[in-house]
């Protein structure tokens, strides 16, 4: 179990991470979101002991991380890199050996992993001869092949096509099933919604969201109303609490409400003549929440 | 682990093979050329010249064996000689006459015979001396006595801490040669290996491999692992040269040409010289610069910036090298003395001062101690910065990067202190 407590890190006058708290239990996936420069990479670096926090601590199974526990980590940095002139096999062996594995332990696994991630190319090929997507997969394999218990992925989905993104998701789920604690950052809220048990959004180093995806969405209320009825957009706008109305491509009106309760009056008015095809009051999507919070000025 | 990987990667690369082989090929090529030309020279046919003179003695003077040219007998007028020169059947001609005991001669020649003119003059001068001795009625012994050169006996001494010791002239040659050799060797090895390690580090940093590695091994392990790896590659190269050199010596030592070149040199003395201070300077010098290169390499953000990042080292080494060359000619210079105690330049400059005996033994050891202390110091500083350097990806200049790295370092230090 990874426990991050009261984590604070400053560089001179800049506070990169401000009072961050979370825990990830075995078999749990946490998403870390936030704009560029929000403090995600700094958080990862503190967890990896590359930086020392000013305050707070990172515990792995109730202890500080040491060189020994490092062997249980799989880390995928934000910008991918492999030794271009080394073969796929030697590369994977080297990284696994750095994590304390023996050559003989890893060698038999390589074929299986290359197959699983559908890497095109032979294991004796030099990395630079592979396409970018395949290189990315090789790097991912190097992050996972030593069966880490703590997996840290910095923007793992960036640059992957939907097919490869799904392979990655499968890989993450498999590690989760094996009981790993997983933390990853992403700009793609769909990945976060699909994969994460919980998420944290950082803004200027401060957590502005913290909880499960469902709770977070609910806490913003069911303020997004999808409506297909006889009411015109003009009429909709007259209702109290309606901030604006948009029309989707398939003719459904979307009304943005101030509070969940505002929907009741609209429902009554829309259904006064009986049946309507659509009335759906939804919490905002993660992406909308993200944009809203990211756009807000600091208080 | 890191050491092994660095070593394997570099030794296996084609670049290493090229690096090791290229000097050997160049040496073999030069040796081959030299051999070819020396053969060529020996085989070259003598260029004939014409001697036009009324004097029997002068004619005889040029017809004996010692000359590398032949005299064609059938040309005895200047016109005929000019004609022969035109159709290239002769390379030049000498006209000479004796006017009142003075030899007046003219030597008309093509480029081929340029190197003969001083010999010709000497011969003619001797002939003139003989003529005058004759006029003065001097006996042959008296002529001998007149032209006998003064006795100059050379004794080469060494003034060291109040004692005067004598040494053979060739010792000094060997020492200076050794210093020269070390200077160039240090230069070449620094340039090569500073480049290699800076590239290694910048490459791993640029590709973020560094972050993966540092999250599995400590920065100290990584830094020294890399250093050891690169040093082992260097050692491999030296061992290869030693083996090849020894093999070549065994194989060629009986050849005439090699005998000629090394005959005058005491190989044991050269070896001893190389094994002495020089090897210390070589090792410390290369180490120092390689550490610096790792440091500067860790400042670069991308592979493409490596050259920019190692520029300061290159300049430093070049400065040292040129001061060393200057010390070769002026080992007593104050400027040279000062530079020989600046650690970064010591390995380049001090060997020349030792060779020229302008430094005391104490001075040598002081400079060695200084250099070693400095090397340890910069290793420590480089390592401290290394840890934070590798986390900085900025496009600012080197100083900006160092400043930011310093901030991170301070912030980490403070944090560790607070925690304790």
């Amino acid at each position: 179990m990874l426990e991050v407590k009261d984590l604070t890190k400053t560089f001179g006058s800049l506070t990169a991470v401000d009072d961050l708290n979370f825990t990830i239990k075995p078999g749990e996936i946490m998403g870390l979101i936030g704009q560029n420069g929000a403090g995600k990479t700094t958080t990862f670096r503190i967890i990896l002991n590359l930086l020392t926090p000013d305050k707070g601590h990172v515990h792995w199974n109730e202890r500080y991380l040491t060189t020994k526990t490092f062997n249980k980590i799989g880390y995928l940095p934000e910008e991918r890199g492999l030794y271009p002139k080394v073969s796929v096999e030697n590369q994977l062996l080297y990284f696994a050996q750095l994590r304390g594995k023996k050559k003989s332990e890893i060698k038999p696994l390589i074929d299986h992993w290359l197959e699983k991630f559908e890497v095109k190319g032979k294991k004796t090929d030099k990395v630079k001869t592979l396409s970018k997507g395949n290189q990315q997969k090789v790097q991912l394999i190097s992050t996972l092949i030593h069966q880490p218990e703590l997996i840290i992925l910095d923007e793992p989905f960036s640059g992957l096509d939907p097919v490869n993104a799904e392979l990655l998701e499968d890989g993450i789920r498999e590690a989760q099933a094996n009981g790993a604690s997983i933390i990853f950052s992403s700009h793609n809220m769909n990945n976060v919604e699909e994969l994460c048990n919980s998420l944290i959004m950082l803004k200027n180093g401060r957590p502005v969201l913290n909880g499960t995806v469902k709770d977070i969405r609910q806490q913003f209320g069911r303020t997004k109303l999808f409506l297909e009825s006889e009411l015109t957009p003009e009429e909709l706008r007259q209702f109290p609490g309606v901030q604006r109305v948009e029309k989707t491509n398939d003719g459904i009106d979307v009304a943005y409400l101030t509070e969940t309760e505002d929907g009741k009056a609209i429902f009554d008015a829309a259904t006064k003549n009986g049946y309507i095809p659509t009335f759906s009051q939804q919490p905002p999507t993660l992406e909308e929440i993200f944009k809203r919070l990211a756009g807000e000025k600091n208080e | 682990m890191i050491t092994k990987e660095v070593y394997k990667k570099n030794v296996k690369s084609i670049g290493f093979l090229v690096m090791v082989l290229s000097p050997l090929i160049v040496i073999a090529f030069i040796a081959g050329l030299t051999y070819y030309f020396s053969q060529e020279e020996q085989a070259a046919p003598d260029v004939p010249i014409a001697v036009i003179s009324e004097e029997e003695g002068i004619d005889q003077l040029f017809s004996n064996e010692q000359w590398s040219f032949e005299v064609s007998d059938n040309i005895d007028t200047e016109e005929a000689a000019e004609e022969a020169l035109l159709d290239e059947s002769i390379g030049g001609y000498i006209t000479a006459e004796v006017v009142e005991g003075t030899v007046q001669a003219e030597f008309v020649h093509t480029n081929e015979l340029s190197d003969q003119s001083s010999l010709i003059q000497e011969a003619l001068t001797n002939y003139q001396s003989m003529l005058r001795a004759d006029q003065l009625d001097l006996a042959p012994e008296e002529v001998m006595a007149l032209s006998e050169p003064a006795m100059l006996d050379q004794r080469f001494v060494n003034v060291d801490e109040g004692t005067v010791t004598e040494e053979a002239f060739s010792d000094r040659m060997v020492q200076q040669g050794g210093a020269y050799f070390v200077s160039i060797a240090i230069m070449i090895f620094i340039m090569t290996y500073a480049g290699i390690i800076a590239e290694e580090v910048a490459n791993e940093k640029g590709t973020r491999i560094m972050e993966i590695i540092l999250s599995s091994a400590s920065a100290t392990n990584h830094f020294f692992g890399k250093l050891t790896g690169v040093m082992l590659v260097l050692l491999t190269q030296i061992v290869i040269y030693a083996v090849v050199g020894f093999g070549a010596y065994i194989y060629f030592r009986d050849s005439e040409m090699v005998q000629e070149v090394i005959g005058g040199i005491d190989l044991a003395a050269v070896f001893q010289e190389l094994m002495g201070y020089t090897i210390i300077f070589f090792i410390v010098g290369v180490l120092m610069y390689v550490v610096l290169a790792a440091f500067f390499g860790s400042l670069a953000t991308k592979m493409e910036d490596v050259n920019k990042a190692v520029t300061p080292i290159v300049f430093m080494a070049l400065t040292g090298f040129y001061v060393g060359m200057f010390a070769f000619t002026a080992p007593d210079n104050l400027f040279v003395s000062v530079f020989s105690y600046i650690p970064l330049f010591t390995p380049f400059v001090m060997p020349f001062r030792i060779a020229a005996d302008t430094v005391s033994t104490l001075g040598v050891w002081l400079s060695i101690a200084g250099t070693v202390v400095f090397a340890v110091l910069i290793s420590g500083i480089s390592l401290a910065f290394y840890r934070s350097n590798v986390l900085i990806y900025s496009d600012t200049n080197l100083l900006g990067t160092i400043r930011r790295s310093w901030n991170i370092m301070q912030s980490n230090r403070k944090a560790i202190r607070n925690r304790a």
Side-chain angles (χ1 to χ4, degrees):
Chain A
M1 188 178 76
L2 182 77
E3 183 196 37
V4 168
K5 199 148 171 30
D6 303 331
L7 210 62
T8 303
K9 177 72 184 174
T10 56
F11 298 114
S13 58
L14 175 84
T15 305
V17 178
D18 194 358
D19 203 20
L20 183 62
N21 285 284
F22 61 83
T23 57
I24 310 172
K25 295 194 186 77
E28 270 188 6
I29 303 177
M30 196 191 90
L32 192 61
I33 59 177
Q35 281 179 287
N36 298 326
K40 291 168 293 181
T41 301
T42 304
T43 304
F44 289 152
R45 285 177 174 176
I46 295 173
I47 296 174
L48 291 168
N49 223 4
L50 297 177
L51 293 170
T52 316
D54 298 349
K55 231 186 75 202
H57 63 243
V58 177
H59 278 178
W60 173 250
N61 294 338
E62 292 165 15
R63 293 230 177 95
Y64 280 109
L65 282 98
T66 61
T67 326
K68 229 177 180 177
T69 35
F70 280 153
N71 288 341
K72 297 183 176 143
I73 297 178
Y75 172 52
L76 182 77
E78 183 178 354
E79 273 178 58
R80 310 299 134 67
L82 298 160
Y83 295 105
K85 290 178 194 161
V86 178
S87 75
V88 170
E89 184 176 31
N90 286 339
Q91 195 110 210
L92 292 174
L93 287 174
Y94 178 55
F95 284 128
Q97 281 174 290
L98 278 175
R99 300 283 184 200
K101 291 282 179 188
K102 287 198 192 73
K103 246 186 184 167
S104 54
E105 283 177 278
I106 298 300
K107 216 163 183 171
L109 304 177
I110 290 177
D111 284 327
H112 168 71
W113 280 86
L114 290 177
E115 215 168 289
K116 186 151 88 182
F117 281 94
E118 297 172 10
V119 177
K120 295 192 175 55
K122 293 192 292 289
K123 59 184 175 182
T124 48
D125 285 346
K126 282 185 179 169
V127 167
K128 64 176 175 187
T129 64
L130 301 180
S131 72
K132 199 175 163 232
N134 281 316
Q135 288 188 17
Q136 218 163 324
K137 290 187 206 169
V138 170
Q139 176 127 40
L140 194 77
I141 294 172
S142 82
T143 313
L144 300 176
I145 198 166
H146 58 288
Q147 306 272 307
E149 292 171 27
L150 172 61
I151 300 171
I152 300 174
L153 310 166
D154 205 348
E155 300 287 351
F157 291 99
S158 74
L160 288 181
D161 64 46
V163 177
N164 285 329
E166 203 176 310
L167 286 171
L168 170 58
E169 276 185 36
D170 292 345
I172 293 177
R173 285 214 180 85
E174 193 187 312
Q176 176 188 28
N178 289 337
S181 304
I182 301 165
I183 176 170
F184 75 89
S185 67
S186 182
H187 289 302
N188 184 337
M189 298 306 144
N190 288 336
N191 299 137
V192 177
E193 278 195 77
E194 277 169 33
L195 277 171
C196 292
N197 303 99
S198 63
L199 76 91
I200 282 182
M201 177 174 170
L202 289 178
K203 190 180 180 187
N204 299 326
R206 192 110 46 88
V208 286
L209 291 175
N210 192 347
T212 64
V213 177
K214 199 173 150 208
D215 287 349
I216 285 173
R217 283 186 65 189
Q218 294 298 346
Q219 97 194 27
F220 281 82
R222 293 175 175 268
T223 51
K224 200 174 173 186
L225 172 62
F226 295 88
L227 184 67
E228 223 179 326
S229 75
E230 288 161 2
L231 292 174
T232 61
E234 283 68 37
E235 284 171 317
L236 264 178
R237 276 193 198 98
Q238 303 309 314
F239 285 92
V242 174
Q243 295 171 334
R244 64 195 158 93
V245 177
E246 286 168 3
K247 227 173 173 53
T248 65
N249 289 340
D250 23 349
I252 298 174
D253 293 315
V254 186
Y256 293 89
L257 311 174
T258 314
E259 281 177 55
T260 313
E261 301 300 308
D262 298 331
K264 282 186 178 163
I266 300 173
F267 180 79
D268 291 343
T271 55
K272 70 175 184 250
N273 294 332
Y275 172 79
I276 54 167
T278 309
F279 181 96
S280 169
Q281 217 175 326
Q282 301 269 347
T285 64
L286 215 47
E287 190 150 337
E288 285 163 330
I289 296 172
F290 180 87
K291 282 182 191 157
R292 197 190 298 178
L293 288 175
E296 268 175 17
K297 290 261 175 291
N298 295 319
E299 69 269 32
Chain B
M1 182 59 224
I2 294 163
T3 303
K4 208 173 103 195
E5 184 69 18
V6 171
Y7 181 73
K8 251 176 35 196
K9 208 174 77 187
N10 277 299
V11 171
K12 270 190 187 166
S13 75
I14 296 172
F16 179 73
L17 208 69
V18 171
M19 183 175 80
V20 171
L21 288 185
S22 53
L24 293 180
I25 290 170
V26 169
I27 289 174
F29 185 69
I30 291 173
L33 272 188
T34 318
Y35 183 70
Y36 175 75
F37 280 124
S38 68
Q39 290 294 323
E40 199 54 354
E41 211 169 277
Q42 280 167 17
D46 295 341
V47 193
I49 66 164
V51 178
I52 303 142
S53 178
E54 303 290 307
E55 288 279 323
E56 190 93 348
I58 291 182
D59 265 344
Q60 276 171 4
L61 195 63
F62 291 106
S63 50
N64 64 30
E65 293 274 299
Q66 73 177 52
W67 299 99
S68 68
F69 47 76
E70 247 173 64
V71 177
S72 41
D73 297 325
N74 42 9
I75 300 172
D76 14 287
T77 63
E78 219 172 315
E79 289 75 32
E82 250 163 50
E83 231 164 77
L85 195 61
L86 262 178
D87 65 26
E88 291 179 29
S89 59
I90 58 169
Y93 62 89
I94 298 168
T95 55
E97 51 181 350
V98 178
V99 182
E100 291 166 14
T102 303
V103 176
Q104 288 179 343
E106 191 185 20
F107 180 32
V108 179
H109 62 91
T110 58
N111 196 27
E112 270 171 296
L113 290 164
S114 300
D115 52 344
Q116 297 295 330
S117 61
S118 59
L119 291 174
I120 291 172
Q121 165 144 38
E122 202 185 309
L124 289 173
T125 308
N126 282 341
Y127 183 73
Q128 182 177 285
S129 308
M130 236 171 62
L131 282 180
R132 293 193 182 167
D134 232 21
Q135 278 177 354
L136 294 170
D137 261 345
L138 292 177
E141 298 83 45
E142 288 170 309
V143 179
M144 283 278 279
L146 264 179
S147 56
E148 192 175 36
M151 299 269 284
L152 177 65
D153 205 6
Q154 293 192 55
R155 276 169 70 214
F156 210 69
V157 296
N158 218 342
V159 181
D160 188 14
E161 286 154 32
T163 57
V164 176
T165 47
E166 203 166 318
E167 63 178 322
F169 187 68
S170 71
D171 279 1
R172 169 148 309 186
M173 289 286 289
V174 166
Q175 280 184 345
Q176 283 196 331
Y180 200 78
F181 178 76
V182 164
S183 206
I184 289 174
I186 292 181
M187 191 67 194
I188 291 173
F189 279 103
I190 282 175
M191 290 300 184
T192 323
Y193 286 94
I196 288 180
I197 197 158
E199 226 166 80
E200 278 274 334
V201 171
N203 183 21
E204 284 186 352
K205 185 185 165 188
T207 56
R208 307 302 197 268
I209 292 175
M210 192 68 98
E211 284 179 52
I212 300 178
I213 294 175
L214 290 189
S215 68
S216 44
S218 73
T220 318
N221 275 343
H222 183 244
F223 187 72
F224 287 117
K226 276 238 119 76
L227 279 186
T228 318
V230 170
M231 286 320 243
L232 282 179
V233 177
L234 190 152
L235 200 69
T236 311
Q237 191 180 0
I238 292 179
V239 167
I240 291 175
Y241 286 159
V243 170
V244 170
F246 188 69
Y249 173 68
I250 297 293
Y251 188 75
F252 287 115
R253 70 176 153 189
D254 296 328
S255 120
E256 205 174 309
M257 192 171 91
V258 174
Q259 278 299 331
E260 214 169 282
V261 175
I262 61 174
I265 303 171
D266 184 355
L267 274 185
V270 174
F271 204 64
Q272 198 181 5
E273 184 58 34
L274 284 178
M275 287 296 111
Y277 295 130
T278 0
I279 196 122
I280 300 180
F281 284 120
F282 177 79
I283 292 170
V284 181
V286 173
L287 248 177
M288 194 162 55
Y289 276 92
V290 167
V291 167
L292 273 181
F295 167 71
F296 280 105
S298 71
L299 288 174
T301 301
K302 304 185 290 280
M303 265 300 268
E304 298 86 89
D305 296 339
V306 176
N307 287 334
K308 221 163 60 190
V310 296
T311 309
I313 306 175
V314 173
F315 272 110
M316 212 77 94
L318 273 179
T319 311
F321 185 68
Y322 281 113
V323 174
M325 290 298 114
F326 180 58
F328 189 46
T329 51
D332 280 322
N333 191 288
L334 176 70
F335 180 70
V336 168
S337 313
V338 172
F339 265 70
S340 69
Y341 287 104
I342 301 175
L344 279 172
F345 305 126
T346 301
F348 292 107
V349 185
M350 199 49 107
F352 288 106
R353 293 195 63 206
I354 297 173
D357 278 310
T358 58
V359 61
S360 65
T361 311
L362 179 71
V364 173
W365 284 107
L366 264 181
S367 76
I368 289 178
T371 315
V372 169
V373 168
F374 182 77
V376 171
L377 211 67
I378 55 164
S379 301
I381 295 173
S382 297
L383 180 60
F385 267 104
Y386 189 76
R387 222 183 141 214
S388 40
N389 274 351
V390 293
L391 298 178
I392 297 172
Y393 301 99
S394 71
D395 289 327
T396 52
N397 55 19
L398 289 185
L399 280 179
T401 310
I402 293 178
R403 202 173 311 127
R404 278 185 56 187
S405 178
W406 173 254
N407 282 340
I408 293 184
M409 215 162 82
Q410 288 305 307
S411 148
N412 275 341
R413 282 244 178 93
K414 209 176 73 197
I416 290 167
R417 254 202 315 276
N418 287 346
R419 192 192 268 178

